[in-house]
């Protein structure tokens, strides 16, 4: 029997275990700027099922997290309208890292350093399984989308644009 690769605990996996969330672990070879195209190919799953964690900020520079399909972009205009803000824009990488406690490319919505409101593209919730960052570059966890609502109290929004 093949020896299962042991993956050290991250703040994300610690939080999932604390909440008794079942998850599968999916390490892959991280590629700088490879994005979800690389991870979905490495895992052999549809890029639509790989969810990216984006740290953004509103017009008052208050941070928030948006969970989006790997093969879609965020309409910041629609997002701002959905959440009652004037504008939303991505945080600079070093700012995102300060808020989340994770390196860009390894950002998970679970176990962030700072509590932030979390928004999830509503169509993600209809998928059976999603693959989302487990708190390290080159490491995704497979979970049921319901976990985003139960554990993170994520609020569903409509802001996807086809990539």
């Amino acid at each position: 029997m093949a020896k299962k690769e042991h993956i050290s605990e991250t703040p994300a996996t610690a939080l999932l275990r604390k909440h008794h969330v079942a998850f599968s672990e999916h390490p892959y070879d991280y590629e700088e700027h490879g994005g979800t195209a690389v991870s979905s190919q490495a895992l052999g799953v549809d890029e639509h099922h790989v969810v990216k964690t984006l740290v953004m900020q509103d017009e008052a520079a208050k941070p928030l997290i948006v969970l989006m399909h790997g093969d879609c972009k965020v309409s910041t205009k629609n997002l701002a309208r959905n959440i009652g803000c004037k504008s939303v824009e991505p945080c600079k990488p070093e700012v995102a890292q300060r808020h989340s406690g994770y390196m860009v490319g390894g950002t998970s919505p679970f176990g962030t350093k700072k509590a932030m409101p979390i928004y999830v593209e509503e169509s993600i919730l209809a998928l059976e399984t999603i693959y989302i960052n487990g708190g390290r570059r080159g490491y995704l966890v497979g979970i049921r989308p319901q976990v985003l609502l139960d554990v993170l109290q994520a609020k569903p929004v409509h802001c996807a644009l086809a990539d």
Side-chain angles (χ1 to χ4, degrees), residues 130-151:
I130 57 169
Y131 300 90
I132 195 162
N133 201 288
R136 177 180 304 116
R137 288 175 167 184
Y139 176 55
L140 299 182
V141 293
I143 58 170
R144 288 183 358 273
Q146 185 64 33
V147 171
L148 303 174
L149 304 178
D150 297 347
V151 175

Side-chain angles (χ1 to χ4, degrees), residues 49-111:
H49 294 250
V50 177
V51 175
K52 48 193 175 188
T53 304
L54 305 165
V55 182
M56 299 194 162
Q57 62 187 23
D58 66 13
E59 69 278 1
K62 284 199 177 75
L64 56 107
I65 287 178
V66 182
L67 304 175
M68 182 53 70
H69 294 284
D71 59 355
C72 295
K73 286 190 170 95
V74 173
S75 163
T76 52
K77 201 177 281 167
N78 288 351
L79 178 63
R81 199 176 305 122
N82 267 242
I83 66 175
C85 291
K86 282 188 181 77
S87 66
V88 175
E89 63 181 10
C91 286
K92 289 186 168 57
E94 62 278 7
V95 175
Q97 194 167 330
R98 204 168 49 240
H99 291 316
S100 71
Y102 292 113
M103 281 178 78
V104 171
T107 305
S108 177
F110 301 102

Side-chain angles (χ1 to χ4, degrees), residues 26-28 36-47 49-50 131 140:
H26 304 275
Y28 65 95
T36 54
V38 168
S39 54
S40 66
Q41 193 174 1
L43 271 61
V45 299
D46 187 329
E47 192 177 4
H49 294 250
V50 177
Y131 300 90
L140 299 182

